[in-house]
Amino acid sequence: MKNGSQDGKQMNILLVEDDKTIAAGLEYSLQQDQFSTILCHDSASAKKVLEKEYQTLDLCLFDLSLPDGSGYELCKMVKQKKDIPVIFLTALDDEVNVVMGLDMGADDYITKPFRIRELISRIKSVLRRYHKYTQTNTVIDLNGIKIFTLEGKVFKNNEEIMLTALEYRLLLIFANHKGQVLSRNQLLEQIWDVAGDFVNDNTLTVYIKRLREKLEDHPQQPVIIKTVRGLGYKVGD
Amino acid sequence: MKNGSQDGKQMNILLVEDDKTIAAGLEYSLQQDQFSTILCHDSASAKKVLEKEYQTLDLCLFDLSLPDGSGYELCKMVKQKKDIPVIFLTALDDEVNVVMGLDMGADDYITKPFRIRELISRIKSVLRRYHKYTQTNTVIDLNGIKIFTLEGKVFKNNEEIMLTALEYRLLLIFANHKGQVLSRNQLLEQIWDVAGDFVNDNTLTVYIKRLREKLEDHPQQPVIIKTVRGLGYKVGD
DNA sequence: CAGAATCATTTCACAATGCGAACAATTTAT
DNA sequence: ATAAATTGTTCGCATTGTGAAATGATTCTG
């Protein structure tokens, strides 16, 4: 539950909220969750912080209706400086403006009153998504098979190999666990989101075979996807 | 034919009618049509229900001439508490008073004797009208796709996505059942008000495809609208 | 140690299901 | 009235899941 971090790096949140009670509560909760926070109570001081500290920030949390200026301005300013997610806190009556907020580049918004848990899960979701998009194209190499995760393409000797959706998913699971032995059940669960109760155990075997046919030079003497008898399958190393 | 629902949410009707035969018949028919009902036989008990349950109600159906007090009062009470539609059931001789009822804020009235089908279609029509105007602006988030129910707009990465009416309706159904697997038939029924007898089963598939083309990053490896083979489709979680 | 029995894995062939291109019909806008 | 967009259908192909039989490895047994 407690991990305001992505890939181990602690996330730094700029929080701008004029109601001091709400602000304090929020700050406390965020810090409990291992986020680090910078708190401002008005638009003016927020701007100053933005000027100085924008490099260190990872996400902004703005009250939409601040006493000395709308949160829109702040949002615009942020997006000019650095491409990080912005979430708006809004009162119910502000709702009309939400679309406008999103046009401005906001990434999510949440209406007061809100449950703190909900907010935090939204924060995490936005951060996750963001990292996905900014992610550079990862290339995974498995014994000469190259996987381009961003485009979802797979190459062997510079020739693209066409995989079906499921074959690709299976391959990705192996790619993300290079060198580990994966049991049939582990694989079944990961592919079908369900324990092996619903899906035939043999189905997996068939997919392994199909993958091997497409990837291996000699499918009968597999080099890439190796079977570990009695335990499961293994890829790499 | 059978769907007392708006965008998938079941509608809850408060029915007040002193003639127990009529009341029972009505209740049965409404429930057949997937409405849920609360039945009262007099004004007093109706008031109690209103006090307690008004948040959950979506529409009221009042007999105009109740034994212990006119339906007018009830109507006034409803409108004070929550802005939901009221339909009056009247005897022929009451007609004089209908104008007054409408002044009171009633949304429609129907004279006894009436055909049940007619009543139900009026109910649906009123609900449709109402929802168009009074719906609160909900923002639903599906893996980064944001739906603004009030404006009927859909955004992806802060860019508006143009959906056709049907595509939008389909998406809304998914949005209202996040995490649930919806069978083809369930979806067909909700969209076309009819079980799969009249509409080609594959039509749905085509819409799914069109939606995915607009929403997904990689339509062939869908992340948002997932296929659950043999069961249907699923969105979210 | 050979051969039998047992178990895990692989292969094959098939049926069910889902997908998508292209076309036809309908509705809506101009 | 014409064009454009939306909606619905048809049909062939691809994917997916499964059962049955074949293969291969490992253990048991005399």
Side-chain angles (χ1 to χ4, degrees):
Chain A
M1 264 310 190
K2 308 203 174 257
N3 63 326
S5 57
Q6 289 276 324
D7 305 329
K9 177 180 170 286
Q10 196 184 37
M11 292 287 117
N12 201 12
I13 296 182
L14 171 60
L15 169 58
V16 188
E17 162 64 63
D18 60 310
D19 182 318
K20 300 197 176 171
T21 316
I22 295 179
L26 264 178
E27 187 170 35
Y28 173 79
S29 303
L30 288 171
Q31 287 174 358
Q32 282 299 303
D33 243 70
Q34 310 301 331
F35 289 99
S36 80
T37 55
I38 303 176
L39 177 57
C40 297
H41 290 297
D42 55 59
S43 172
S45 53
K47 278 179 189 162
K48 279 183 206 152
V49 172
L50 270 175
E51 286 293 351
K52 277 196 202 165
E53 309 268 7
Y54 68 91
Q55 295 106 336
T56 71
L57 294 174
D58 298 293
L59 181 143
C60 295
L61 214 51
F62 294 152
D63 189 347
L64 189 56
S65 42
L66 291 167
D68 61 343
S70 147
Y72 293 138
E73 279 182 57
L74 285 178
C75 180
K76 205 157 66 181
M77 185 168 164
V78 170
K79 293 286 177 176
Q80 274 171 2
K81 291 207 168 294
K82 191 186 178 190
D83 185 29
I84 56 173
V86 172
I87 297 179
F88 277 123
L89 308 172
T90 76
L92 257 178
D93 0 347
D94 293 331
E95 293 218 32
V96 206
N97 303 317
V98 167
V99 175
M100 190 176 146
L102 282 181
D103 278 343
M104 210 82 252
D107 296 86
D108 204 349
Y109 89 106
I110 188 164
T111 45
K112 305 184 218 175
F114 49 81
R115 287 173 306 115
I116 197 75
R117 278 286 116 219
E118 158 117 36
L119 175 60
I120 286 179
S121 94
R122 296 258 202 125
I123 289 176
K124 286 181 183 169
S125 139
V126 167
L127 280 175
R128 256 197 313 277
R129 207 156 57 233
Y130 237 74
H131 274 253
K132 213 175 186 172
Y133 285 122
T134 42
Q135 219 173 33
T136 44
N137 194 359
T138 319
V139 182
I140 305 173
D141 190 317
L142 300 175
N143 300 60
I145 303 292
K146 291 200 176 51
I147 310 170
F148 294 79
T149 57
L150 196 62
E151 294 103 339
K153 292 186 175 180
V154 179
F155 290 83
K156 170 186 171 186
N157 308 331
N158 299 323
E159 305 230 337
E160 183 171 0
I161 296 184
M162 300 309 292
L163 297 181
T164 71
L166 252 90
E167 286 162 0
Y168 180 73
R169 263 205 279 164
L170 180 56
L171 182 60
L172 255 201
I173 292 170
F174 279 123
N176 288 326
H177 298 280
K178 256 202 261 194
Q180 291 176 41
V181 177
L182 298 170
S183 76
R184 293 174 114 73
N185 266 333
Q186 280 177 308
L187 291 166
L188 281 174
E189 277 179 38
Q190 291 222 44
I191 296 190
W192 284 276
D193 296 350
V194 181
D197 303 330
F198 283 85
V199 192
N200 189 319
D201 174 73
N202 186 40
T203 302
L204 179 62
T205 314
V206 175
Y207 278 100
I208 298 281
K209 174 199 136 91
R210 286 172 184 164
L211 255 186
R212 279 178 177 158
E213 254 165 16
K214 295 191 182 182
L215 302 182
E216 305 270 1
D217 287 323
H218 306 289
Q220 267 101 2
Q221 291 112 44
V223 177
I224 299 165
I225 306 178
K226 283 173 237 162
T227 56
V228 184
R229 183 159 254 264
L231 295 180
Y233 299 92
K234 195 182 92 160
V235 161
D237 294 305
Chain B
M1 262 314 186
K2 309 203 174 254
N3 66 329
S5 58
Q6 290 278 322
D7 304 333
K9 178 180 170 285
Q10 196 184 36
M11 293 288 119
N12 200 13
I13 297 184
L14 171 59
L15 169 57
V16 189
E17 164 63 64
D18 59 313
D19 182 320
K20 300 199 177 173
T21 315
I22 296 181
L26 262 177
E27 187 171 34
Y28 173 77
S29 302
L30 289 170
Q31 286 173 359
Q32 281 300 304
D33 244 70
Q34 309 301 330
F35 290 99
S36 79
T37 55
I38 303 176
L39 175 56
C40 298
H41 290 299
D42 55 59
S43 172
S45 54
K47 277 179 189 163
K48 278 185 206 151
V49 172
L50 271 174
E51 286 292 350
K52 276 197 202 162
E53 309 265 9
Y54 68 92
Q55 296 108 332
T56 71
L57 294 173
D58 299 293
L59 181 140
C60 295
L61 213 51
F62 293 153
D63 189 349
L64 190 55
S65 42
L66 291 167
D68 61 342
S70 146
Y72 293 140
E73 277 182 57
L74 284 178
C75 180
K76 202 158 67 182
M77 185 169 166
V78 169
K79 293 289 177 176
Q80 274 171 2
K81 291 208 168 292
K82 191 186 179 190
D83 186 28
I84 56 174
V86 173
I87 297 180
F88 278 122
L89 308 172
T90 76
L92 255 180
D93 6 344
D94 292 331
E95 289 223 44
V96 209
N97 303 318
V98 165
V99 177
M100 191 176 150
L102 287 178
D103 277 346
M104 211 80 251
D107 296 85
D108 203 349
Y109 80 103
I110 187 164
T111 48
K112 305 186 218 175
F114 50 81
R115 285 175 309 114
I116 197 76
R117 280 284 117 218
E118 158 117 34
L119 173 59
I120 285 178
S121 94
R122 296 256 202 126
I123 288 175
K124 285 183 183 168
S125 141
V126 167
L127 278 176
R128 261 198 306 279
R129 205 160 59 231
Y130 239 74
H131 269 251
K132 214 170 193 171
Y133 296 116
T134 66
Q135 233 170 20
T136 45
N137 190 3
T138 320
V139 179
I140 305 172
D141 189 315
L142 302 173
N143 298 60
I145 303 291
K146 291 195 181 54
I147 309 169
F148 293 78
T149 57
L150 189 63
E151 292 94 347
K153 292 186 174 179
V154 179
F155 290 79
K156 170 187 170 187
N157 305 334
N158 301 322
E159 307 227 334
E160 184 171 359
I161 294 184
M162 301 310 292
L163 297 181
T164 70
L166 251 91
E167 285 163 357
Y168 180 73
R169 260 205 282 163
L170 180 55
L171 182 60
L172 256 201
I173 293 171
F174 279 122
N176 286 326
H177 298 279
K178 255 201 263 194
Q180 289 177 44
V181 177
L182 298 171
S183 76
R184 292 173 113 75
N185 266 333
Q186 279 177 307
L187 291 166
L188 282 173
E189 277 180 38
Q190 293 224 42
I191 296 190
W192 285 277
D193 295 357
V194 179
D197 305 328
F198 284 84
V199 192
N200 188 320
D201 174 74
N202 191 45
T203 302
L204 180 63
T205 313
V206 175
Y207 277 100
I208 297 279
K209 171 201 135 91
R210 286 172 183 163
L211 256 186
R212 293 217 257 232
E213 251 165 19
K214 295 190 182 182
L215 301 182
E216 304 269 0
D217 287 324
H218 304 291
Q220 264 106 2
Q221 283 132 41
V223 176
I224 298 165
I225 306 179
K226 283 177 233 157
T227 324
V228 185
R229 185 160 246 260
L231 295 180
Y233 298 93
K234 195 182 91 159
V235 162
D237 293 302

